Amino acid sequence: MRLNIMRLMYCCLYFQKLIISSLGKRKLFVMMIAKADTISKSELHKFKIKIMSELVSNGVQIYQFPLDDETVAKVNTTMNGHLPFAVVGSTEEVSVGNKMVKARQYPWGVVQVENENHCDFVKLREMLICVNMEDLREQTHTRHYELYRRCKLEEMGFKDTDPECKPVSLQQTYEKREDEMRQMFVQRVKEKEAELKDAERELQGRFEQLKRLHADEKAALEEKKRLFEDDQSSFSKRRAAAQLLQAQSLTANGKKDKDRKK
């Protein structure tokens, strides 16, 4: 089974506007000139030469099309001579001949975006998307991503030198730091387990205390119930005895009345 792995491509298109010295000395991008239709071809040619000269004098790196692949070395050599690319952009379509094209409409004529006689947009598109996309992907992975990864590792405390400034492997440093973090995690887990056990014991103690308290209250209620039932039984017996005496008294009185009548 084949796995197709898609790698991201990073490409920064920098449109020349500010002075070159403000860019720093470690940039990597594709230099562009926007609105190429605002100056003449001779002025544009001089402007390109000036830009490239200032880039070199200020130590600014721009993306150069690679020459190590023989299949594209010739065309890349030619295209490197056209840098920086001068482009024209437009979202409007204009009728030119019998077709609609992206262009800018002026009173004096039409500037077509995809006409190589008008600007370098087609060159730019072909060089980035068709000819050198794989190189840009490789640059993105091996240079930009690795630089980003290195910076992030350094922010997390991983360094490629030991306290004595001797070079060490970032992989070894990462593995060591990972082992320390793992041990720290295990220790935190043990501490948390101990806290939970203490809390469990405390809850169990409170439960047992409440259980004893409940048992004592239940026993007290049972005792009160027993005493109440004893009192009730005694009262019933006394009542029955009183009723019996009353009945006997009434019987005796009735007998005396009969004797007197006789």
Side-chain angles (χ1 to χ4, degrees):
M1 182 178 65
R2 287 186 176 181
L3 294 177
N4 293 323
I5 301 176
M6 179 177 290
R7 290 182 297 171
L8 296 176
M9 183 188 78
Y10 164 85
C11 181
C12 176
L13 302 180
Y14 185 88
F15 290 87
Q16 169 57 22
K17 182 178 180 181
L18 304 176
I19 57 174
I20 300 300
S21 58
S22 67
L23 298 176
K25 296 188 177 182
R26 292 189 297 175
K27 301 291 183 179
L28 179 64
F29 49 82
V30 177
M31 178 64 70
M32 307 280 294
I33 299 175
K35 298 182 179 180
D37 55 331
T38 59
I39 55 178
S40 65
K41 287 190 175 183
S42 60
E43 291 174 332
L44 180 60
H45 180 69
K46 293 178 181 179
F47 189 41
K48 285 187 176 185
I49 295 175
K50 181 181 179 181
I51 290 176
M52 296 304 292
S53 176
E54 290 190 8
L55 288 172
V56 173
S57 62
N58 287 278
V60 180
Q61 298 178 359
I62 65 171
Y63 179 70
Q64 294 284 326
F65 300 119
L67 306 176
D68 51 350
D69 188 350
E70 295 181 356
T71 59
V72 295
K74 185 176 181 180
V75 64
N76 279 351
T77 299
T78 303
M79 290 299 107
N80 283 333
H82 287 282
L83 295 175
F85 288 132
V87 298
V88 174
S90 176
T91 58
E92 299 179 358
E93 291 189 345
V94 178
S95 176
V96 177
N98 58 354
K99 63 179 181 179
M100 301 295 292
V101 297
K102 296 288 184 182
R104 286 181 176 272
Q105 180 74 59
Y106 293 102
W108 44 263
V110 176
V111 177
Q112 301 177 39
V113 173
E114 298 186 9
N115 189 327
E116 293 191 54
N117 292 323
H118 295 175
C119 71
D120 298 327
F121 177 80
V122 173
K123 294 184 179 69
L124 173 67
R125 183 179 62 190
E126 293 297 317
M127 296 308 294
L128 295 184
I129 299 178
C130 299
V131 181
N132 296 293
M133 178 177 284
E134 187 59 33
D135 181 71
L136 285 168
R137 287 178 175 175
E138 190 67 24
Q139 290 270 5
T140 299
H141 179 73
T142 61
R143 186 167 186 173
H144 298 288
Y145 171 71
E146 288 301 326
L147 179 60
Y148 166 81
R149 178 174 175 272
R150 182 187 184 90
C151 292
K152 286 299 179 182
L153 287 174
E154 289 179 351
E155 288 177 4
M156 295 170 62
F158 301 109
K159 297 182 179 180
D160 55 359
T161 57
D162 60 13
E164 298 178 356
C165 296
K166 295 180 180 179
V168 294
S169 171
L170 271 177
Q171 181 67 25
Q172 294 176 353
T173 308
Y174 176 79
E175 291 175 355
K176 181 180 178 181
R177 184 68 176 272
E178 188 179 37
D179 185 60
E180 292 175 354
M181 293 178 66
R182 187 183 297 109
Q183 293 178 3
M184 186 182 299
F185 175 75
V186 172
Q187 182 64 27
R188 291 287 298 276
V189 170
K190 290 181 179 178
E191 292 174 358
K192 197 65 178 179
E193 288 178 347
E195 291 177 4
L196 291 174
K197 287 181 179 179
D198 291 340
E200 185 179 2
R201 283 194 294 269
E202 183 180 354
L203 287 174
Q204 185 66 27
R206 293 182 61 186
F207 173 75
E208 294 294 335
Q209 182 181 3
L210 290 174
K211 187 177 179 181
R212 288 192 298 270
L213 180 62
H214 174 72
D216 293 341
E217 291 179 350
K218 184 178 180 181
L221 287 173
E222 291 291 338
E223 180 64 18
K224 288 182 179 180
K225 181 181 178 182
R226 185 185 65 79
L227 293 174
F228 175 76
E229 289 176 348
D230 291 344
D231 291 343
Q232 189 179 30
S233 177
S234 298
F235 175 77
S236 297
K237 289 178 180 180
R238 289 195 299 270
R239 181 181 179 184
Q243 288 176 348
L244 179 60
L245 289 174
Q246 186 179 8
Q248 290 177 351
S249 177
L250 290 174
T251 302
N253 290 334
K255 187 176 180 182
K256 288 179 179 181
D257 289 341
K258 286 180 180 181
D259 291 338
R260 282 197 299 270
K261 289 179 179 180
K262 288 180 180 182

